[in-house]
Amino acid sequence: MTLMHLANCVALTFVPPWMIYKYKLQEFATTPQCVQAGFWYATIQLLQLILTATFVPSGDPNSFDVAQESMKAFITFADCLGLYYTFSARKLALGAAVVIGLSWGTAESVLHRLVPLAVEARGLQFTWKHTLTSVEANISLGTYMALAVLMWLWVRKPAQRTSIIIVIILQRFIVPVTTSFLRNSAFVETPAIAVAAEAAMMGTFAFLALKMSSS
């Protein structure tokens, strides 16, 4: 049963990005290019880790501190800089930008979720924690794909930059702070509510990114 739970969680985390790439986006980028984008994401995450360790004071990870969460959210704007550099250095089609977002979301799951799932999901006692972790992986996947589209639009459509920057600030700043508040303060005993709220916000921003790209 525990191995089946582990297999289900790993599949829920990593099969969706593979299917999206295999059946929808394979024509826009090769597998080595996706791997390269994943390594670029890892580099940006290393920079964020250094900045967080340097400027964000340590605290209780299971409590909500608005100043601390705000600083963490501000540091995540490094993702925007990394994507901006990528799209400025090369002229890429919109589909290629979506692939980069997909690669970043997959790399995030590999770096932050693969080991916890492999170690903890094999426990003797069943828990919904790891299923929610897998659901969050798909939410994060959509978030990075939407962010990649927004940054591609920022480079390619300067006339839309005012509306784009508003959406990016909401996505990079408001969403993580709100999610942290829901998870660590308002709904500590029911983390599924925080995950559902995060999914709703991600869907909203993905819809806005789609609308902007088609205008």
Side-chain angles (χ1 to χ4, degrees):
M1 179 63 184
T2 55
L3 288 177
M4 183 64 69
H5 179 51
L6 171 63
N8 289 334
C9 291
V10 172
L12 181 59
T13 301
F14 295 104
V15 170
W18 176 80
M19 293 184 65
I20 293 172
Y21 172 73
K22 180 69 175 179
Y23 296 106
K24 294 293 184 180
L25 300 173
Q26 192 172 17
E27 62 183 289
F28 296 105
T30 63
T31 301
Q33 289 174 325
C34 294
V35 174
Q36 183 182 14
F39 276 110
W40 178 233
Y41 168 83
T43 302
I44 299 299
Q45 291 306 299
L46 178 60
L47 172 62
Q48 291 188 41
L49 185 63
I50 294 173
L51 292 174
T52 301
T54 304
F55 297 107
V56 179
S58 59
D60 185 358
N62 296 318
S63 64
F64 177 76
D65 185 310
V66 64
Q68 186 180 60
E69 296 302 326
S70 298
M71 293 178 69
K72 289 179 181 179
F74 181 77
I75 289 174
T76 65
F77 279 93
D79 290 335
C80 299
L81 295 178
L83 290 169
Y84 174 79
Y85 174 80
T86 299
F87 298 139
S88 298
R90 296 180 294 170
K91 289 186 176 181
L92 300 173
L94 177 59
V98 177
V99 173
I100 289 176
L102 182 72
S103 301
W104 278 42
T106 306
E108 195 244 8
S109 293
V110 171
L111 292 176
H112 297 288
R113 297 184 177 91
L114 181 59
V115 172
L117 285 176
V119 174
E120 298 176 6
R122 293 185 299 174
L124 296 178
Q125 185 176 2
F126 174 84
T127 173
W128 285 103
K129 171 185 176 183
H130 306 102
T131 303
L132 290 176
T133 298
S134 299
V135 172
E136 285 184 303
N138 289 276
I139 296 172
S140 181
L141 193 70
T143 299
Y144 275 109
M145 292 170 69
L147 180 63
V149 171
L150 290 169
M151 291 308 302
W152 181 87
L153 291 171
W154 175 272
V155 174
R156 299 289 175 244
K157 298 185 178 181
Q160 294 185 357
R161 285 183 176 177
T162 301
S163 56
I164 291 171
I165 193 62
I166 293 174
V167 176
I168 290 176
I169 290 174
L170 290 173
Q171 188 201 59
R172 293 279 90 188
F173 190 82
I174 302 300
V175 172
V177 173
T178 302
T179 303
S180 178
F181 169 74
L182 293 175
R183 180 178 287 111
N184 298 316
S185 181
F187 300 102
V188 177
E189 302 298 328
T190 52
I193 295 178
V195 174
E198 187 178 7
M201 289 184 284
M202 182 278 294
T204 301
F205 293 125
F207 173 77
L208 291 174
L210 181 63
K211 291 289 289 183
M212 290 179 180
S213 64
S214 60
S215 62

